[in-house]
Amino acid sequence: MSEASKYLSQLQVGEGEQTFLDSNELIINMGPQHPATHGVLRVILKLDGEKVLGTECVIGYLHRGVEKIAENRTYTMFNPYVDRMDYVAAVSNGLGYCQAVERLLNIEAPPRANYIRVILTELNRISSHQLWLGTHALDIGAITPLFYTFRDREEILKIFEKYCGARLTTHAFRIGGCQYETYEGFERDVKSFCNFVAPKIEEYEELLTTNRIWVERTKGVGVLSAAGCKALGVTGPVLRASGVKWDIRKAQPYANYSEFDFEIPTRQSGDTYDRYMVRMAEMRQSLRIIRQAVERIPEGPIMAKVPKVIKPPPGEVYHSIEAPKGELGYFIVSDGSTQPYRLRVRPPSFVNLQALDLMVRGQLVADVIAVIGTLDIVLGEVDR
Amino acid sequence: MQPVATTFFFYFLSALALLGAVFVITRRNAVHSALALIVTLLALAGIYLMLYAPFVAGVQIILYAGGIMVLFLFVIMLVNLERAEKEKQFNQQWLIALVAAGGLGLLFVRVFTESKTVSGLLQKPLAQLAESTNTQQVGIALYGNYMLAFEIASLLLLVAIVGAVVMAKKRI
Amino acid sequence: MLTSITSYLHSNETPGAAGNMFWALLYILAIFLGLSIAVIAMNWLERKVLAHMQVRLGPMRVGPHGLLQPIADALKLLIKEDIMPAHADRLVFWMAPLITVLAAFTTFIVVPFGPTHAVTDMNIGILFMLGVSSLGVLGIVTAGWASNSHYPLIGSLRSSAQMVSYEVAMGLAVVSAVLMTSLHGTGVYGTGTTGSGTGTLSMIGIVKAQYDQQIWFAFKFFPLGLIAMFVFSVAMVAETNRAPFDLPEAESELTAGFHTEYSGFRWSLFFLAEYSAMIAVSSIAVTLWFGGWLRPFPNALTGATWDLLFSLFPGFSFLGLGALALLSAMRMPRHRMFKIQTIGLAGFGALLALIGLGLLVPPLRDRVQDIYWFVAKVAVFMYLYIWYRGTFPRYRFDQLMMVGWKILLPTALAALIATAVVGVF
């Protein structure tokens, strides 16, 4: 028995303490229509007054059968569908899928394409974290950061729009590279964005990091230890906030992340505050990567030699990338035809969400909201 | 200022208080009873005002209507009302209760009739207190003449608080 | 009849004290009307100020700069379908908003807008205010219960616990201000005045005491007055269920808390009550610690010149606002699409300027001055409410209770005892 399963067996949390009036257990439904469940998540809460005795997540309200759709589309046709999973980080989704198919085809994207990919993906990471920060702060009751982050996220979306015509579901990459050459002034835009957003991140921190109420609301809330993370397969900033230095960009470098100099921010206590700090630091690291990439972006082709009809040889591949929310993996089985025989997505939100019950047992209703926010789930990705 | 329509307001407030009291014991729904009790308490506060005792009226509103009744409602909401509504509202001691209430009523009637004939009691009007110094007079009485009684009462309340904490909390 | 109406004009009592029913009713009507306008204005201001704090514009479409937005909102609420949930307790559901709004409005009977500008002056003024405003919680509790729904129930349980808890700290802070009315202090704490030593609970009496002692109670026995004022101004935010203590209606947790099931007109009553209660508690704070209707430095800057200068304030501030509106009307884009907006804004500016000119006329000037200073001080508190909302996250329930019982209550108690000690010795 591994360390992880031993940890899990210890977690038999008792039925909360019986209270003086021991008949006031309350079952309430949070969602699927609820302002703070980030979409259509439904959480059934068992409450004793304000204390949470247990939760159960009901998911599937946004289920579109993305994995089944994949079996009926060619590899190229399926590419836009992945954007619709984690719709706030569509670029990352596209990158993971394209690279998985590229590995299946055994081709390599040209260096310039890789640079463009890294720049756009890191921009997307910042925008995803900004959206997370705004909504998370809103859940905890601070309404102002939301508007600040949306104001700054807009600049990123403008760059996306100029690059590929779409703001949210970008479909920015193609199998084998990128479809579009960068537009005139792309480097200038990205550079000026970096200079624009760096002080804005300080601004968010100014509003929240030392805010007494924010600290009280997040410190010690929803603690998830490193062992807990490992046992449940939780990845991404949640894992790093528990002190595990695990980032696929460093551990199994893809694209050309190995060429860049950046750090993996980690924190020790694994509570909501630390996850907040980790994400804030990650935004700065992303800026660092973008700055390096823009400086060094080479000339050259943006598309590898890809056959007109994509017909990978029979076989299977699992490729994972570090999406803003954690490890995003694609497992593709090919039977040699133009369509995948089976495609399975390992979405970070779905896996991270299962930690919810563990994190909120014995805490208060308000903490459920904070924890849902801090896990940074996107229901499009959970339900697929 | 001269009081306006004293008789009307006296009967109005009294009727309100009585009506509320009747509703308190006849409503099957505990929340309705509590709300009726609040009406009674507020009507009593009005009567205190008419008696030139604004301080007592204010305290009545703050403590009873605003404080204690909120806690009452708080507790009632946590109780399973559907079950409570089906339960029998009156217990078997209604006969004794009737006798006791009747006795009390007779006593009131007796006092009222006696006072008409025997000198004293209701005939001599009480010295009218000046409205403007009511609070000060209450203060002087409480912290002057009745200092000891007041302090003992507060000690009693302290005991009650400690008792409540001990009962409600298993671990201290 | 007529003589009693006109004779009151020369009296220097409140209509309640003078026993003048006509003027009392007129005052009640005026306060009701003024309060409604204040709530509407507050609604617009909150949206605009909050919007500008959050790098957006706020309402801009209905009327120039969204000036008519609150009216459009009110209209929308009035014609909205009135929904009552199935199995709701009809009577209680119907009564709950009434209780809240009545409690919020009744408090204004004793609010002193000026030495004579109050409906009546009660011997127990401040006690009455605290008592009646504490009745508002009954409406909230019953609203949550009557809705027959879980979220409102939790919301109302939260709010009752919260309001009852914070009333204690609030009351203690008030007591220390009341204590100051009778204490003149000696030595470094002395106010340089002597008096009979009787305190008062009357709202007008408290302001007069501040005038007699020549100090706002916020600065008396420095820093004790400030501490009590601070405790009160935290407790009053909790008492009115506003951010960062807006747990009863915590949007992200309980959808809308106790009024989740309310819609249309009933909901708007809750809204009205909430804002009236905010104004009411701000008025208490202003009366107790900031000299109520007194103009700045009523004792230090005396003389005809200063009196004239301060009495010109109301008129000139309205003129200034009018000029601001006219200026922004001139800066409107010259396009026929904006023609009506420009005219509207200019008209609004002209109206403000006209009011300003009217306030410069001598007899009105002196009468209105007290009300002006009172409202201006209350407005500062209302602005603080908006500011809090733009800045702070929300407290969690246990933390809220901890703040109330473990921080505010001991602080208020300590300030009270210290005030007594400093004042007597």
Side-chain angles (χ1 to χ4, degrees):
Chain A
M1 276 294 165
S2 66
E3 191 190 337
S5 55
K6 238 187 279 173
Y7 176 83
L8 274 184
S9 63
Q10 287 168 8
L11 288 173
Q12 294 305 319
V13 181
E15 292 288 299
E17 290 171 50
Q18 291 280 303
T19 49
F20 180 50
L21 298 160
D22 54 347
S23 68
N24 48 16
E25 268 174 22
L26 192 65
I27 308 279
I28 64 170
N29 260 316
M30 194 177 267
Q33 274 97 25
H34 188 279
T37 53
H38 292 232
V40 284
L41 173 66
R42 173 173 162 214
V43 186
I44 303 174
L45 294 171
K46 191 160 133 193
L47 300 178
D48 170 16
E50 291 258 341
K51 204 160 102 187
V52 178
L53 298 180
T55 62
E56 187 172 331
C57 291
V58 182
I59 57 171
Y61 290 94
L62 207 59
H63 179 65
R64 292 149 297 178
V66 170
E67 290 172 8
K68 191 69 190 168
I69 291 171
E71 294 168 21
N72 299 299
R73 297 282 185 279
T74 65
Y75 287 94
T76 322
M77 281 162 79
F78 182 66
N79 200 352
Y81 282 89
V82 294
D83 288 354
R84 273 84 180 160
M85 289 193 305
D86 182 357
Y87 38 77
V88 300
V91 180
S92 289
N93 289 6
L95 177 69
Y97 174 72
C98 292
Q99 287 202 320
V101 180
E102 281 161 18
R103 264 175 70 177
L104 208 55
L105 287 166
N106 218 353
I107 53 174
E108 189 78 33
R112 183 173 169 81
N114 269 337
Y115 271 92
I116 295 173
R117 281 177 171 188
V118 165
I119 292 171
L120 291 182
T121 318
E122 291 306 317
L123 280 177
N124 200 198
R125 188 185 311 278
I126 295 174
S127 93
S128 170
H129 281 356
Q130 278 175 336
L131 188 119
W132 159 81
L133 177 67
T135 52
H136 182 44
L138 183 68
D139 289 346
I140 292 183
I143 44 180
T144 306
L146 179 80
F147 295 98
Y148 286 15
T149 55
F150 268 63
R151 170 195 63 191
D152 306 335
R153 181 170 169 266
E154 186 64 24
E155 301 303 318
I156 299 176
L157 298 188
K158 271 183 196 156
I159 293 177
F160 287 165
E161 191 179 5
K162 274 182 168 173
Y163 174 70
C164 61
R167 288 157 56 85
L168 210 58
T169 47
T170 46
H171 193 199
F173 307 138
R174 300 293 185 273
I175 296 160
C178 305
Q179 170 96 36
Y180 309 109
E181 184 49 77
T182 55
Y183 61 89
E184 185 67 36
F186 175 75
E187 283 93 342
R188 196 192 57 231
D189 274 4
V190 172
K191 265 183 210 160
S192 70
F193 168 76
C194 289
N195 294 333
F196 163 79
V197 88
K200 302 291 181 198
I201 295 173
E202 307 298 328
E203 196 178 277
Y204 313 149
E205 287 232 47
E206 211 169 286
L207 264 174
L208 296 173
T209 306
T210 52
N211 187 321
R212 218 187 131 85
I213 303 177
W214 176 262
V215 173
E216 278 187 34
R217 276 303 300 277
T218 52
K219 271 241 165 92
V221 169
V223 177
L224 194 60
S225 65
C229 288
K230 285 177 188 163
L232 294 165
V234 172
T235 49
V238 185
L239 177 67
R240 290 192 281 275
S242 303
V244 183
K245 219 176 172 107
W246 173 261
D247 187 320
I248 298 174
R249 287 176 295 178
K250 283 269 193 205
Q252 302 160 2
Y254 54 92
N256 53 352
Y257 274 108
S258 50
E259 294 171 27
F260 301 112
D261 172 33
F262 66 99
E263 278 152 28
I264 309 173
T266 54
R267 300 275 291 191
Q268 291 309 315
S269 50
D271 56 10
T272 305
Y273 186 74
D274 277 4
R275 288 188 278 273
Y276 157 75
M277 291 303 276
V278 163
R279 287 196 176 99
M280 297 311 277
E282 262 177 33
M283 281 198 237
R284 296 204 179 89
Q285 294 301 327
S286 291
L287 278 183
R288 207 167 139 193
I289 296 173
I290 296 169
R291 282 201 167 112
Q292 294 171 35
V294 171
E295 287 303 324
R296 303 210 294 251
I297 186 164
E299 293 296 320
I302 51 161
M303 207 52 184
K305 281 221 172 298
V306 180
K308 278 249 154 34
V309 179
I310 293 175
K311 237 177 167 181
E316 56 181 53
V317 66
Y318 176 76
H319 181 73
S320 63
I321 63 159
E322 187 71 26
K325 294 168 180 64
E327 178 184 348
L328 171 69
Y330 288 90
F331 178 67
I332 307 176
V333 181
S334 161
D335 58 358
S337 70
T338 56
Q339 297 167 345
Y341 174 76
R342 172 81 170 96
L343 186 144
R344 155 83 191 161
V345 186
R346 184 229 185 259
S349 297
F350 176 70
V351 180
N352 290 0
L353 182 59
Q354 61 178 336
L356 176 68
D357 186 57
L358 195 69
M359 288 157 86
V360 300
R361 282 241 177 140
Q363 308 224 17
L364 303 174
V365 186
D367 293 334
V368 178
I369 304 296
V371 168
I372 291 176
T374 191
L375 283 175
D376 192 12
I377 50 164
V378 163
L379 265 294
E381 193 179 47
V382 174
D383 292 342
R384 298 190 301 293
Chain B
M1 140 179 206
Q2 281 306 305
V4 187
T6 321
T7 337
F8 167 73
F9 278 114
F10 174 74
Y11 283 112
F12 175 70
L13 290 171
S14 312
L16 211 59
L18 281 177
L19 205 70
V22 169
F23 275 128
V24 171
I25 54 171
T26 52
R27 292 294 92 186
R28 284 195 161 266
N29 190 322
V31 172
H32 290 178
S33 291
L35 289 175
L37 187 55
I38 292 168
V39 172
T40 305
L41 293 172
L42 289 180
L44 285 182
I47 290 178
Y48 292 148
L49 266 185
M50 294 186 64
L51 292 172
Y52 292 96
F55 183 76
V56 183
V59 169
Q60 168 96 354
I61 293 175
I62 281 196
L63 286 188
Y64 283 94
I68 291 176
M69 287 318 292
V70 171
L71 295 181
F72 262 40
L73 281 169
F74 195 94
V75 172
I76 289 169
M77 280 179 195
L78 296 175
V79 174
N80 191 348
L81 277 185
E82 270 115 43
R83 209 178 58 205
E85 267 187 62
K86 287 192 190 92
E87 276 172 6
K88 228 169 164 233
Q89 298 276 312
F90 297 95
N91 59 19
Q92 300 302 314
Q93 284 150 357
W94 62 273
L95 200 69
I96 303 167
L98 198 67
V99 170
L104 195 65
L106 277 178
L107 188 69
F108 278 140
V109 171
R110 175 86 177 145
V111 169
F112 191 67
T113 50
E114 283 294 305
S115 66
K116 292 245 155 129
T117 51
V118 184
S119 68
L121 278 176
L122 293 186
Q123 269 178 343
K124 198 171 86 192
L126 292 165
Q128 193 172 314
L129 298 171
E131 190 196 2
S132 57
T133 58
N134 177 261
T135 314
Q136 287 83 343
Q137 285 171 350
V138 171
I140 289 164
L142 271 187
Y143 290 97
N145 299 351
Y146 305 106
M147 176 81 170
L148 192 65
F150 182 74
E151 290 302 330
I152 289 173
S154 57
L155 210 64
L156 199 67
L157 285 175
L158 186 68
V159 172
I161 292 174
V162 173
V165 170
V166 169
M167 274 173 72
K169 240 189 151 95
K170 282 165 298 178
R171 292 194 316 270
I172 299 170
Chain C
M1 182 71 191
L2 204 67
T3 48
S4 79
I5 291 171
T6 48
S7 69
Y8 173 73
L9 281 176
H10 307 289
S11 89
N12 50 4
E13 284 177 300
T14 60
N20 195 317
M21 289 297 270
F22 174 81
W23 279 97
L25 277 174
L26 205 69
Y27 269 42
I28 289 174
L29 270 179
I31 286 175
F32 188 78
L33 208 70
L35 209 54
S36 307
I37 293 172
V39 170
I40 287 176
M42 180 66 193
N43 179 15
W44 180 79
L45 267 178
E46 175 163 23
R47 295 173 69 166
K48 283 307 252 194
V49 171
L50 209 54
H52 285 283
M53 283 178 183
Q54 296 168 343
V55 292
R56 57 199 173 91
L57 289 173
M60 284 300 277
R61 296 301 173 103
V62 190
H65 289 268
L67 273 170
L68 298 177
Q69 185 70 45
I71 294 166
D73 284 349
L75 216 65
K76 180 208 77 174
L77 285 171
L78 283 180
I79 56 177
K80 222 174 154 180
E81 187 190 353
D82 185 26
I83 300 166
M84 193 179 277
H87 306 296
D89 194 313
R90 300 187 76 86
L91 180 74
V92 181
F93 190 82
W94 175 81
M95 255 165 51
L98 288 185
I99 297 174
T100 347
V101 90
L102 271 178
F105 273 45
T106 311
T107 48
F108 282 90
I109 286 180
V110 291
V111 171
F113 294 92
T116 60
H117 299 130
V119 177
T120 185
D121 181 37
M122 283 190 186
N123 173 242
I124 52 156
I126 182 70
L127 209 60
F128 176 85
M129 239 180 132
L130 287 181
V132 174
S133 64
S134 75
L135 288 184
V137 69
L138 284 174
I140 290 173
V141 170
T142 48
W145 177 81
S147 298
N148 188 34
S149 174
H150 281 154
Y151 283 114
L153 185 68
I154 297 179
S156 69
L157 287 181
R158 276 182 174 188
S159 81
S160 53
Q162 173 180 337
M163 287 167 111
V164 169
S165 309
Y166 275 79
E167 246 162 44
V168 183
M170 200 172 175
L172 283 173
V174 166
V175 169
S176 70
V178 170
L179 211 56
M180 285 178 183
T181 58
S182 67
L183 300 177
H184 293 269
T186 51
V188 275
Y189 291 112
T191 50
T193 52
T194 49
S196 58
T198 47
T200 178
L201 287 174
S202 133
M203 300 284 272
I204 290 183
I206 290 169
V207 179
K208 279 187 173 154
Q210 296 181 50
Y211 181 78
D212 292 338
Q213 297 181 20
Q214 308 193 356
I215 190 164
W216 284 0
F217 285 165
F219 305 112
K220 196 175 170 183
F221 299 155
F222 185 82
L224 295 177
L226 271 182
I227 291 173
M229 192 276 295
F230 171 77
V231 169
F232 184 89
S233 49
V234 174
M236 81 185 200
V237 180
E239 190 72 8
T240 44
N241 297 332
R242 293 279 303 183
F245 303 108
D246 55 345
L247 287 104
E249 43 197 296
E251 190 178 51
S252 55
E253 297 158 30
L254 305 174
T255 48
F258 62 88
H259 56 59
T260 305
E261 303 288 351
Y262 280 84
S263 69
F265 188 63
R266 288 178 219 276
W267 181 85
S268 68
L269 284 184
F270 276 122
F271 183 82
L272 195 65
E274 181 182 323
Y275 279 80
S276 313
M278 280 159 64
I279 299 175
V281 285
S282 303
S283 317
I284 299 181
V286 166
T287 309
L288 291 188
W289 285 283
F290 292 100
W293 69 79
L294 299 176
R295 67 168 169 80
F297 309 110
N299 311 96
L301 307 178
T302 49
T305 334
W306 284 113
D307 278 348
L308 180 72
L309 212 63
F310 278 109
S311 71
L312 291 178
F313 247 88
F316 274 112
S317 56
F318 269 93
L319 278 177
L321 282 177
L324 207 67
L326 285 172
L327 198 73
S328 41
M330 272 158 60
R331 286 175 54 200
M332 277 272 195
R334 299 258 169 271
H335 189 270
R336 63 188 163 79
M337 249 175 71
F338 292 96
K339 202 173 173 189
I340 295 176
Q341 299 245 344
T342 313
I343 293 171
L345 199 58
F348 186 67
L351 185 74
L352 285 176
L354 213 63
I355 295 174
L357 281 177
L359 291 182
L360 289 178
V361 180
L364 207 59
R365 193 168 70 192
D366 300 326
R367 291 238 148 197
V368 161
Q369 197 195 354
D370 304 324
I371 301 177
Y372 173 81
W373 289 115
F374 189 86
V375 171
K377 288 172 189 172
V378 169
V380 172
F381 275 91
M382 301 309 275
Y383 183 80
L384 282 180
Y385 268 117
I386 304 174
W387 199 353
Y388 295 154
R389 196 174 159 204
T391 321
F392 291 132
R394 186 178 299 119
Y395 264 116
R396 204 173 60 201
F397 193 68
D398 56 330
Q399 293 163 349
L400 170 104
M401 285 296 167
M402 206 193 70
V403 170
W405 289 106
K406 292 190 184 165
I407 298 176
L408 291 186
L409 185 64
T411 313
L413 210 55
L416 175 60
I417 293 169
T419 307
V421 170
V422 168
V424 172
F425 298 108

